[in-house]
Amino acid sequence: MASIVLKDLRKAFQVKRKAAGLGGSLASLGRPRYETVEAVRGISLEMESGELLAFIGPNGAGKSTTIKMLTGILHPTSGEAQVLGFVPWKQRRELAYHIGSVFGQKPQLWYHLPPIDTFDLFAHIYELDRKTYERRRDFLVEAFDIRDLLEVPVRKLSLGQRMRCEIAASLLHHPRIVFLDEPTIGLDVVAKQQLRDTIKQLHAEEQTTIFLTSHDAGDIESLCERVVVINHGQVIFDDAVKVLKRRYLRRKVIEVRFAEPTNGHLDLAGVSVIKLGRYGAKLELDTSSRPIETVIQDLMAGHSIVDINVMDPPMEEIIRAIYQRDSAFEPVAEGA
Amino acid sequence: MGIVGEMRFVGHLMRLNLASNMEYRASFVSQIVGMLINNGIYFVFWLLFFDRFQEVRGYRIDEIYLLFAVFTLAFGMAFTFAGNALEVAGLIAQGRLDYYLTLPRPILPHLIFSRMGQSTVGDLTFGVLAYLFTGRLDLVSIGLFVAATLLAAVIFATFAVTTGALAFFFGNTAQLSSHLVQALGSFALYPFGLYQGAARLILLTVIPSAFIGAVPVQVVQLRDGGALVLLAGVAILSAIVMVGVFRVGLRRYESGSAININI
Amino acid sequence: MDELIFLPAPAAVLHRRTWRGSARKYLAIARTNLLNRLAYVWDAASNVLLMFLFIFIFAQLWGATFEAQGATEIAGLTLTQTIWYFVWAEMIQMGKIRHVRTVSQEVKDGSLAYTLGRPYNYLLYHFASGIGDVLIQAGVLLVAGSLVAWSQVGPLYSFRLETLPVVLLVTALAFVLDFCVLSIIALLAFFMEDVNSLLFIYHKIVFVLGGLLIPVDFLPDWLQAIARVLPFNLVVYAPAKLFVAWDGGQAVFSLGLQVVWIGILAGLLTVLYRYGTRRLTINGG
């Protein structure tokens, strides 16, 4: 059953423009110049219930705007959308009982109060009866490992701790769909992975439909089955994560620092050297030709290593690759 | 969920607010004292004024006591409980309605009652004290005073929300909205007899200052039941206008990506 | 607009600490803030609204009062002078530099420490950025207030154009004096949790003893005596009164007092700033 359907959804904003300098200010005072910025330019999409979908794209691609239309926060300029059979901006309240949402940049937890107080408030907001609520809360507290944080004022929590509490709060009412907008933004590597694991586990256990936006390729790789890439308000890729990985996430960059100076050259099969210094190197690797583990093993066998860092290509590069592929005359040969 | 359920929910919000305010008890107290001083100063002005001039357009110091009692108590009630009513423009402009929009509650009461005023508790106190000074301690007077002041508080709060909702249409109007509320209050704090012609008309309609000052004073002073009914009508009307403006505005809401916190 | 005048000087010039260099720097600060101000059309518009409102109400109140007294003059002021007095007084009050919140916040959260490394004087920075506001605000407010006053009580015949430079000087010093008081209040955040209440009390004292709500001349004699020895009347009353009723002797007297008070307060401010920042660098933010 489709739980989310979008048809040619569009959203345009009016943005005021002003020329530089005092002259510009005075001119815009008299007759302000407006420019229409199309944040979302005709997105069509269907999502089955129980799916875990990643909605990715660079900053300003229209991810948040889309999610805000799907949760009833924004009215679209044109187009249609249904979430669980509701039109979000028309049936906001009915829909709200069945969905949960977390906006990475807009905390829902009350800043000066401990999370437990916001949880209690949410129980009232969603009209949960005391017993059901407490059972659910205790379950989530375990799942997100936040028992020790419950009674600490939110302002004293770290970003990672806060985000775990935010997500737990959004799940109190057993939503059928959860929208997570940039949940890992600003988190360090460990906190990110911890959060991803929890989300994954929860999805596995409860088959909640999860709609997640991110501009971090790592989120998608470790979390999702299906990925939709948008850029400039349009869908430019919609397929399984496997496909995205095979086509565009094959490349990894390895940064390595050595304890002793190298002898000036570094030879590893299937790996190209981008930069090589006396104490460090930057390498590039195509994971379809050679698994990353074996490269690291080789490196460690031949050198004593102080630090090693494996990175995904940045979002912008994936998008560039998608465009290139689409416009290429000859089909790119797909690796196994 | 019926009216009772909504009331219970608002009650819960208020308890939560009180808890949040109590986190900063010291500034809570100093703000209250500050407000007492603030109102006191205006009061001193009138004392000095009437000390020298005795009467202006039918108002003497007695009427001023009553006017201050009505006004500060109405203001205090309105913005102690509906603490967010004064913040609506800013909340809209900064995209902070998102939180309320994702939750299954009627947005206006949820939004308005999600914060409690602190300094306004000082106005509450001042209003009660000022009323004691009027010496009208019989039950009828007190009953009329409470009823008229409650209605005035409703008009005050709804006006604040309506002007705040202008931000849906004109961008960040925080200062304009707060100045409009200030205008509403400033006009109300002077004897209504000062205004003539067009000014009088404006203060009975667009900026309904008459209904948060002069009319409630008249209700208590003259035991004027008709004026009380009029006051109730205006309160209902301004609530309708508020809901209408807010509904239309919400369609134009643009969210925005500022980083927000629930204080 | 000549864009070239205020272009930032090349780095080499800036590093040499010439007087012109630093003047230019603060001019640039003032100019940027002025531009920033213009972006907020609605804010400016709403200040105008408030000015209309106040002058209108005062015109009604004092019109009715003069009428009830059957007098053409109260304590030496005509109705026309009284209303124009309020135009000038409200212009000063509403045009004020508003930096207390920012400064006290920076003191409290310790971010003041970061500004210490920047190549400008912290307080002068705030003064310069505030002046940008003041020029625009005061200009617009004066026009707005004059419109209402003119329509209600007619032109101010007692005004003498040749006195304008001195009136403006007294007004400028009033802004400086006010800025000093506000800065002291803001820096007291080094010692107190909440300086807002102090700010509040200062404003309220200015309301009555500074002559904002009622000209000092209208106060009972005993209160007048107090108001005239305190510095608060130098912030609002002194310039506004000179504007409507010129008095050479009074002008010299006010100027002198203003200079003395600014000296005292600026000294106090410097001591407070030095003490506070030393504490900040020793204890960390």
Side-chain angles (χ1 to χ4, degrees):
Chain A
M1 194 194 92
S3 53
I4 298 181
V5 184
L6 304 184
K7 273 194 204 127
D8 195 29
L9 201 63
R10 286 166 190 276
K11 178 74 187 177
F13 294 104
Q14 300 284 320
V15 180
K16 204 159 144 184
R17 296 275 166 211
K18 173 186 107 53
L22 188 56
S25 288
L26 289 172
S28 98
L29 204 83
R31 197 186 309 139
R33 220 153 31 88
Y34 286 97
E35 215 167 77
T36 304
V37 173
E38 290 181 90
V40 173
R41 302 193 292 177
I43 288 187
S44 299
L45 198 68
E46 261 191 51
M47 191 175 162
E48 297 302 311
S49 70
E51 245 186 308
L52 205 168
L53 177 142
F55 200 62
I56 64 174
N59 281 326
K63 303 183 300 276
S64 293
T65 307
T66 308
I67 228 175
K68 281 173 184 166
M69 287 191 280
L70 292 181
T71 47
I73 292 173
L74 288 177
H75 286 244
T77 310
S78 70
E80 291 168 35
Q82 282 202 349
V83 178
L84 298 169
F86 298 107
V87 177
W89 50 93
K90 284 187 185 147
Q91 293 155 293
R92 181 185 72 77
R93 283 182 61 193
E94 292 90 327
L95 176 64
Y97 282 107
H98 306 289
I99 61 171
S101 53
V102 173
F103 293 91
Q105 312 209 19
K106 302 206 175 183
Q108 333 185 44
L109 299 173
W110 287 47
Y111 191 65
H112 293 307
L113 296 175
I116 185 90
D117 281 339
T118 306
F119 286 12
D120 284 347
L121 175 68
F122 275 25
H124 282 267
I125 288 181
Y126 289 106
E127 299 162 53
L128 308 173
D129 73 75
R130 198 75 206 167
K131 277 236 174 64
T132 328
Y133 158 61
E134 278 170 2
R135 213 179 313 123
R136 178 68 174 166
R137 184 189 65 198
D138 293 342
F139 166 75
L140 290 169
V141 163
E142 286 312 313
F144 284 87
D145 190 22
I146 50 175
R147 179 156 304 283
D148 297 336
L149 313 178
L150 274 186
E151 289 171 4
V152 182
V154 170
R155 63 173 187 279
K156 294 191 175 140
L157 299 180
S158 76
L159 198 55
Q161 293 171 331
R162 211 163 71 194
M163 195 47 72
R164 296 212 303 278
C165 295
E166 287 277 350
I167 297 182
S170 75
L171 294 170
L172 282 170
H173 59 295
H174 253 296
R176 285 159 63 195
I177 305 181
V178 185
F179 293 92
L180 301 175
D181 189 21
E182 304 277 5
T184 59
I185 202 161
L187 300 189
D188 61 56
V189 185
V190 180
K192 258 184 194 170
Q193 201 48 50
Q194 201 177 4
L195 197 64
R196 287 168 186 162
D197 290 344
T198 318
I199 294 174
K200 211 160 153 182
Q201 178 201 341
L202 222 91
H203 176 248
E205 279 173 21
E206 305 198 333
Q207 274 86 51
T208 314
T209 310
I210 297 182
F211 189 104
L212 174 138
T213 74
S214 180
H215 65 271
D216 182 338
D219 281 350
I220 309 115
E221 233 186 317
S222 50
L223 269 179
C224 300
E225 296 137 18
R226 178 178 162 201
V227 61
V228 174
V229 181
I230 69 165
N231 193 34
H232 297 308
Q234 284 174 317
V235 175
I236 58 171
F237 178 94
D238 179 357
D239 209 328
V241 172
K242 280 201 303 256
V243 178
L244 184 84
K245 255 167 132 170
R246 199 168 58 216
R247 286 190 196 156
Y248 310 108
L249 281 175
R250 285 185 310 205
R251 212 173 66 81
K252 296 261 181 200
V253 172
I254 304 172
E255 272 179 355
V256 61
R257 286 203 301 135
F258 305 114
E260 293 147 13
T262 55
N263 52 8
H265 65 273
L266 192 66
D267 241 355
L268 293 163
V271 175
S272 51
V273 178
I274 303 174
K275 219 163 54 187
L276 180 63
R278 271 166 67 77
Y279 286 95
K282 197 172 179 186
L283 313 169
E284 199 186 282
L285 160 79
D286 187 333
T287 48
S288 62
S289 68
R290 194 177 170 191
I292 191 139
E293 295 87 348
T294 65
V295 177
I296 294 173
Q297 276 164 11
D298 281 4
L299 272 171
M300 289 170 72
H303 308 268
S304 85
I305 288 171
V306 185
D307 192 14
I308 190 161
N309 200 357
V310 181
M311 292 173 300
D312 289 309
M315 204 66 221
E316 289 72 19
E317 198 172 302
I318 298 173
I319 283 166
R320 209 179 313 125
I322 293 173
Y323 279 130
Q324 271 165 10
R325 186 188 154 88
D326 284 351
S327 59
F329 291 110
E330 51 207 337
V332 178
E334 288 197 17
Chain B
M1 155 133 339
I3 292 284
V4 179
E6 290 302 342
M7 303 270 267
R8 288 228 321 254
F9 172 59
V10 167
H12 185 87
L13 273 177
M14 285 181 180
R15 281 203 299 282
L16 206 58
N17 273 307
L18 212 55
S20 187
N21 283 352
M22 283 305 155
E23 284 278 306
Y24 289 95
R25 208 166 318 151
S27 79
F28 189 42
V29 171
S30 73
Q31 287 199 32
I32 292 174
V33 174
M35 264 307 148
L36 283 174
I37 295 174
N38 178 43
N39 297 334
I41 286 287
Y42 282 101
F43 207 70
V44 165
F45 161 73
W46 283 112
L47 287 175
L48 294 170
F49 183 91
F50 284 111
D51 178 55
R52 181 157 194 153
F53 304 115
Q54 285 80 48
E55 186 187 325
V56 64
R57 291 278 158 84
Y59 264 54
R60 292 167 166 274
I61 194 70
D62 287 345
E63 281 80 15
I64 293 291
Y65 279 126
L66 194 51
L67 181 64
F68 266 66
V70 168
F71 181 87
T72 52
L73 191 59
F75 181 85
M77 284 201 286
F79 303 113
T80 300
F81 300 113
N84 259 346
L86 289 171
E87 314 288 333
V88 171
L91 292 170
I92 293 169
Q94 294 161 28
R96 290 175 66 167
L97 294 196
D98 290 16
Y99 165 79
Y100 305 100
L101 282 166
T102 51
L103 296 173
R105 283 286 159 175
I107 180 164
L108 262 175
H110 189 181
L111 171 74
I112 296 170
F113 294 111
S114 273
R115 212 176 72 100
M116 255 176 107
Q118 298 193 346
S119 57
T120 47
V121 176
D123 297 289
L124 276 179
T125 322
F126 192 94
V128 174
L129 289 177
Y131 186 76
L132 293 180
F133 270 98
T134 65
R136 297 167 195 273
L137 300 177
D138 57 296
L139 280 179
V140 181
S141 295
I142 291 176
L144 285 173
F145 172 70
V146 170
T149 308
L150 264 173
L151 291 169
V154 171
I155 295 168
F156 223 143
T158 49
F159 182 83
V161 176
T162 309
T163 53
L166 293 178
F168 281 128
F169 306 93
F170 306 111
N172 193 353
T173 56
Q175 206 187 350
L176 175 70
S177 303
S178 87
H179 281 180
L180 281 169
V181 174
Q182 205 176 334
L184 178 78
S186 300
F187 282 120
L189 270 173
Y190 290 85
F192 198 62
L194 291 178
Y195 313 116
Q196 308 292 332
R200 199 163 257 251
L201 192 66
I202 289 172
L203 298 182
L204 286 164
T205 52
V206 190
I207 301 177
S209 300
F211 300 104
I212 56 168
V215 176
V217 166
Q218 191 177 330
V219 169
V220 181
Q221 203 177 29
L222 307 179
R223 305 204 163 176
D224 187 340
L228 190 63
V229 174
L230 175 68
L231 208 54
V234 172
I236 293 169
L237 187 67
S238 57
I240 292 172
V241 170
M242 168 184 76
V243 172
V245 171
F246 200 85
R247 283 238 172 108
V248 175
L250 204 55
R251 300 179 55 88
R252 306 172 50 112
Y253 178 56
E254 293 202 344
S255 191
S257 52
I259 292 171
N260 312 142
I261 45 178
N262 274 325
I263 295 189
Chain C
M1 273 315 125
D2 191 347
E3 294 287 323
L4 286 173
I5 299 175
F6 300 124
L7 272 182
V13 180
L14 270 183
H15 283 301
R16 248 188 298 129
R17 284 233 186 142
T18 61
W19 181 86
R20 278 178 54 126
S22 43
R24 224 179 259 194
K25 173 162 52 178
Y26 294 111
L27 274 176
I29 292 168
R31 178 174 170 274
T32 313
N33 274 274
L34 199 143
L35 285 179
N36 194 27
R37 186 83 210 167
L38 278 177
Y40 295 94
V41 191
W42 287 105
D43 285 5
S46 66
N47 263 333
V48 168
L49 185 91
L50 223 52
M51 187 67 165
F52 279 154
L53 176 102
F54 286 152
I55 301 307
F56 177 78
I57 292 180
F58 286 145
Q60 306 311 309
L61 176 65
W62 292 101
T65 308
F66 273 78
E67 189 190 288
Q69 299 296 304
T72 50
E73 266 189 22
I74 296 177
L77 289 174
T78 64
L79 176 62
T80 311
Q81 282 175 315
T82 307
I83 302 311
W84 282 93
Y85 168 91
F86 284 118
V87 172
W88 204 259
E90 287 294 338
M91 175 194 78
I92 295 173
Q93 170 70 14
M94 288 164 68
K96 277 183 174 199
I97 297 176
R98 292 172 202 283
H99 65 302
V100 175
R101 189 181 294 236
T102 320
V103 173
S104 66
Q105 200 56 46
E106 284 179 356
V107 166
K108 261 190 279 182
D109 63 24
S111 56
L112 181 68
Y114 300 107
T115 63
L116 293 179
R118 298 202 192 130
Y120 52 67
N121 176 304
Y122 180 72
L123 289 166
L124 271 182
Y125 169 85
H126 279 286
F127 187 73
S129 64
I131 281 296
D133 269 6
V134 167
L135 287 178
I136 284 271
Q137 283 274 66
V140 172
L141 288 170
L142 182 60
V143 173
S146 302
L147 283 175
V148 186
W150 197 300
S151 74
Q152 297 291 315
V153 294
L156 179 67
Y157 289 117
S158 62
F159 179 65
R160 296 276 161 273
L161 192 62
E162 65 273 17
T163 65
L164 186 63
V166 182
V167 172
L168 286 179
L169 182 63
V170 176
T171 307
L173 289 182
F175 276 113
V176 176
L177 185 59
D178 180 61
F179 178 82
C180 290
V181 178
L182 291 179
S183 301
I184 288 175
I185 290 175
L187 288 184
L188 283 173
F190 280 121
F191 313 101
M192 323 177 40
E193 181 57 32
D194 181 33
V195 295
N196 280 325
S197 39
L198 281 182
L199 180 65
F200 223 80
I201 291 169
Y202 168 61
H203 278 157
K204 299 310 150 189
I205 292 176
V206 170
F207 269 41
V208 172
L209 297 180
L212 186 69
L213 278 182
I214 185 167
V216 171
D217 314 69
F218 292 5
L219 294 175
D221 293 339
W222 62 273
L223 199 54
Q224 260 191 63
I226 298 173
R228 288 186 195 279
V229 293
L230 292 173
F232 305 106
N233 79 78
L234 298 172
V235 175
V236 173
Y237 170 74
K241 177 74 187 291
L242 284 177
F243 171 64
V244 297
W246 173 259
D247 177 337
Q250 188 61 41
V252 174
F253 183 65
S254 295
L255 273 174
L257 269 182
Q258 280 181 322
V259 170
V260 170
W261 275 108
I262 289 172
I264 294 171
L265 293 175
L268 201 62
L269 194 55
T270 314
V271 172
L272 199 60
Y273 182 73
R274 291 234 176 101
Y275 177 80
T277 48
R278 192 177 315 138
R279 228 168 68 136
L280 203 64
T281 41
I282 291 170
N283 301 337

